[in-house]
Amino acid sequence: MAVSPPMIEVCGVSKFYGIFQALNDISFTVSDGEKVVIIGPSGSGKSTILRSINCLETIDSGRITVSGKDISLPQTDICKIREEVGMVFQSFNLFPHKTVLENLTLAQTVVRKRSKKEAEEIAMELLHKVNIAEKADAFPAKLSGGQQQRVAIARSLAMNPKAILFDEPTSALDPEMIGEVLDVMKTLAREGMTMVVVTHEMGFAREVGDRVIFMDHGRIVEEGTPEHFFTNPNHERAKLFLSQIL
Amino acid sequence: MHGGSGTQPTRPATHVMSDNQSTQTAVAVGDGAAIPHKSDAGLFTAWRIAFFGSIILCLFLAFGRPDQYMAIFLFVPEGIVITFKVTVGAILLAIVFGMIAGLGRISANRFINGAASLYVEVIRGIPLLVQLFYIYYALGRFIKIPAILSAIIAMAFCYGAYMAEIFRAGIQSIHKGQMEAALSLGMSRRQAMREVILPQAFKIVLPPIGNEFIALLKDSSLVSILAVSDLLRRGREYASETFNYFETYTVIALIYLIMTLFFSKLISIMEEKLNDGR
């Protein structure tokens, strides 16, 4: 029986910024439909590993495969990988010169070569899904942070990705807007989307995560179910972090 | 005549600064006429005095002293047309040169980057007047094209180097998250540049390009030493026939002043419109 390769496989990845080691021998896998939450103090390398999966950072050693394709090989089409793995950023990064609707249709027409009409239909459907259809013709600057982030999630979904990487999606938001973004993410999780989420939202990690990865100083210190991690972590560093944050 | 600011090898560059994601953009201008902002009350009044003063003075000279001045006003307009042709032609071509060289300056390809940087450094290190002579006679040696065309090419080639720096600064002022967002959606670098980065950068570089336009309008007077009958050359032709040097150059200076003040006002209005927008 053929075993399909894991959605994302990170294998012994290290990365240096000058002499600073940002990632130290990181390995983990994410299987289809799994929700993995990466937590840890700032500067621990959690965003760096996420960005590396989307080739926004280059790695110095190790191997990352997406659907079995090694992303650092020159013959791999990075654009194809990125089409399959969406990314949601801390600072939303909507295109300010385009309306909300155009933000969603741009990559569909340019990359997926969909017709304008088809792209707009898909876009409107997704905007309904994230509860912001009424702002379709507004420019991003007119939207609140929470609204912008929901649009950014919809924009990512418009490419029909197999997995989405969330890089601290609620860290730039005012507290009262965090809930609306997490709700959208929970809906996605229920629908079976493969998700890798870097976050400080412990409640979300506990509720949605299938697995929690705790990182510190560029290493994976602890990995396990949320139940195990939040109630009975093995490592002192993880205990200390939890006592500070909970 | 050679004292125009554009003839100095180290003309103060135009800077484009932008604080990351926001559309707040500050533009500091080292050349061209001072741009009157509403907030700058002193300059705003100075602009009015200068602009309307020169128009009134022109009217007074033309109709108050018609025997000395009317003939000048009738003789030089042909030159204004040429001056505009040179200025508009050169600025459009300079934008093309500038965009190519500006993209080259941020290219990861060493050869392209080196070539673009070399172009910018070499051009900025040679006085405009020397370049004009050089390109004009170099072109004339190998191909036969009209004088006005070689003048336009020479001006554009020079201004393209300054324009390249404007485009480079404008593109680099776009938050890197924009490129990352575009890439993460599966766009190629080229697609991201065309669809996401350049449209935003273009809005930021519009005001400095306007300033370059004014600087170029003034520097276009340098082409009068080539066989191009621009405003200044028409004046010289008139003066050398009539020996009315003082009167002629008074009129020439006034016309240049009115033109540059007019365009600087236009640019300040455009800037305000851009800032009002999203």
Side-chain angles (χ1 to χ4, degrees):
Chain A
M1 197 171 81
V3 181
S4 65
M7 186 68 229
I8 298 166
E9 185 169 21
V10 177
C11 218
V13 168
S14 294
K15 178 178 175 64
F16 292 84
Y17 290 112
I19 57 161
F20 173 73
Q21 187 160 13
L23 297 175
N24 190 345
D25 195 23
I26 301 286
S27 298
F28 63 89
T29 57
V30 181
S31 32
D32 208 3
E34 204 179 9
K35 291 99 185 107
V36 174
V37 180
I38 305 177
I39 58 181
S42 52
S44 59
K46 51 197 192 314
S47 284
T48 308
I49 188 65
L50 202 68
R51 291 164 55 81
S52 301
I53 296 169
N54 217 345
C55 304
L56 295 174
E57 304 279 352
T58 54
I59 55 175
D60 295 316
S61 62
R63 194 165 55 92
I64 297 175
T65 60
V66 173
S67 301
K69 284 183 264 286
D70 187 337
I71 62 171
S72 49
L73 291 178
Q75 64 264 35
T76 306
D77 184 352
I78 300 297
C79 292
K80 279 273 176 291
I81 299 286
R82 286 174 175 145
E83 278 180 57
E84 290 184 15
V85 182
M87 180 130 181
V88 173
F89 299 86
Q90 181 178 351
S91 52
F92 330 133
N93 296 341
L94 293 181
F95 306 134
H97 62 300
K98 304 257 181 209
T99 64
V100 165
L101 188 69
E102 289 165 349
N103 262 277
L104 266 70
T105 55
L106 178 64
Q108 291 190 63
T109 50
V110 172
V111 179
R112 287 264 193 246
K113 308 290 179 204
R114 289 176 186 151
S115 70
K116 187 163 178 280
K117 186 167 168 291
E118 188 191 359
E120 282 180 355
E121 277 168 12
I122 293 170
M124 282 314 296
E125 202 176 302
L126 288 168
L127 288 175
H128 276 291
K129 182 176 176 148
V130 300
N131 280 322
I132 198 153
E134 75 280 4
K135 298 279 187 190
D137 295 320
F139 283 98
K142 303 279 181 219
L143 271 54
S144 72
Q147 291 172 325
Q148 289 194 46
Q149 193 61 296
R150 283 185 281 145
V151 172
I153 293 171
R155 178 175 72 177
S156 176
L157 287 172
M159 300 302 287
N160 308 109
K162 291 180 182 155
I164 301 188
L165 313 172
F166 292 85
D167 187 5
E168 301 199 26
T170 57
S171 296
L173 297 176
D174 291 334
E176 72 270 22
M177 293 167 183
I178 291 176
E180 63 191 58
V181 172
L182 291 182
D183 284 345
V184 169
M185 290 168 65
K186 285 173 193 168
T187 308
L188 286 183
R190 273 197 300 276
E191 290 171 358
M193 175 64 77
T194 309
M195 296 162 78
V196 183
V197 185
V198 169
T199 188
H200 293 294
E201 295 296 322
M202 295 304 140
F204 176 84
R206 206 165 187 160
E207 187 186 332
V208 177
D210 294 320
R211 198 145 44 91
V212 172
I213 293 175
F214 176 72
M215 285 180 71
D216 192 27
H217 292 109
R219 290 174 180 275
I220 292 179
V221 176
E222 184 135 3
E223 184 174 354
T225 62
E227 183 61 28
H228 165 76
F229 179 76
F230 285 106
T231 52
N232 190 23
N234 296 338
H235 288 79
E236 280 308 314
R237 190 67 193 85
K239 283 177 190 162
L240 184 66
F241 178 75
L242 286 173
S243 72
Q244 282 164 344
I245 208 161
L246 292 177
Chain B
M1 172 184 109
H2 300 164
S5 56
T7 60
Q8 292 157 12
T10 49
R11 195 169 60 100
T14 308
H15 303 284
V16 181
M17 294 168 291
S18 174
D19 67 340
N20 291 348
Q21 189 119 42
S22 85
T23 48
Q24 263 301 324
T25 302
V27 178
V29 187
D31 197 15
I35 308 282
H37 280 281
K38 281 225 172 74
S39 56
D40 191 349
L43 190 59
F44 192 58
T45 323
W47 180 88
R48 273 195 241 183
I49 293 172
F51 185 68
F52 294 109
S54 344
I55 289 177
I56 291 166
L57 189 57
C58 279
L59 292 173
F60 170 76
L61 292 175
F63 298 103
R65 305 275 175 77
D67 46 330
Q68 284 155 303
Y69 285 96
M70 201 44 145
I72 305 174
F73 280 109
L74 292 176
F75 188 80
V76 294
E78 253 178 70
I80 298 179
V81 175
I82 299 290
T83 289
F84 267 103
K85 272 188 188 163
V86 171
T87 306
V88 173
I91 198 89
L92 292 179
L93 201 55
I95 287 172
V96 175
F97 286 157
M99 191 137 110
I100 293 169
L103 285 170
R105 289 268 285 161
I106 54 169
S107 168
N109 181 317
R110 269 191 176 184
F111 177 74
I112 295 172
N113 195 314
S117 301
L118 192 67
Y119 162 65
V120 171
E121 286 306 317
V122 167
I123 293 296
R124 294 209 301 183
I126 302 172
L128 177 54
L129 189 55
V130 176
Q131 287 178 54
L132 269 183
F133 274 129
Y134 188 82
I135 296 172
Y136 182 78
Y137 289 110
L139 280 176
R141 185 149 182 177
F142 301 111
I143 39 172
K144 273 275 156 276
I145 51 174
I148 184 165
L149 198 56
S150 7
I152 287 173
I153 292 170
M155 298 280 293
F157 200 68
C158 165
Y159 266 76
Y162 295 96
M163 215 66 101
E165 288 302 274
I166 293 175
F167 273 104
R168 182 187 58 77
I171 291 167
Q172 286 181 338
S173 73
I174 304 299
H175 191 265
K176 73 176 173 48
Q178 290 290 310
M179 176 56 95
E180 290 181 351
L183 292 179
S184 77
L185 289 167
M187 289 190 214
S188 66
R189 275 192 175 273
R190 184 183 294 258
Q191 288 169 335
M193 197 46 104
R194 194 179 60 223
E195 304 288 343
V196 177
I197 306 297
L198 283 181
Q200 293 181 61
F202 196 66
K203 214 175 102 177
I204 287 174
V205 301
L206 261 184
I209 285 179
N211 294 323
E212 289 297 296
F213 177 81
I214 292 175
L216 208 154
L217 179 64
K218 292 189 293 177
D219 281 346
S220 74
S221 62
L222 293 170
V223 304
S224 64
I225 52 150
L226 311 174
V228 179
S229 289
D230 77 327
L231 178 55
L232 180 59
R233 193 182 177 94
R234 288 290 285 180
R236 267 168 60 201
E237 284 166 10
Y238 183 85
S240 60
E241 274 173 34
T242 60
F243 300 106
N244 289 335
Y245 287 101
F246 171 74
E247 291 81 357
T248 311
Y249 288 128
T250 302
V251 170
I252 298 293
L254 281 173
I255 294 176
Y256 273 117
L257 186 59
I258 290 169
M259 290 197 299
T260 52
L261 288 172
F262 173 77
F263 282 110
S264 63
K265 182 69 184 170
L266 214 62
I267 288 162
S268 82
I269 290 170
M270 182 183 79
E271 255 182 79
E272 262 165 42
K273 283 256 162 68
L274 281 177
N275 287 339
D276 285 349
R278 41 191 167 94

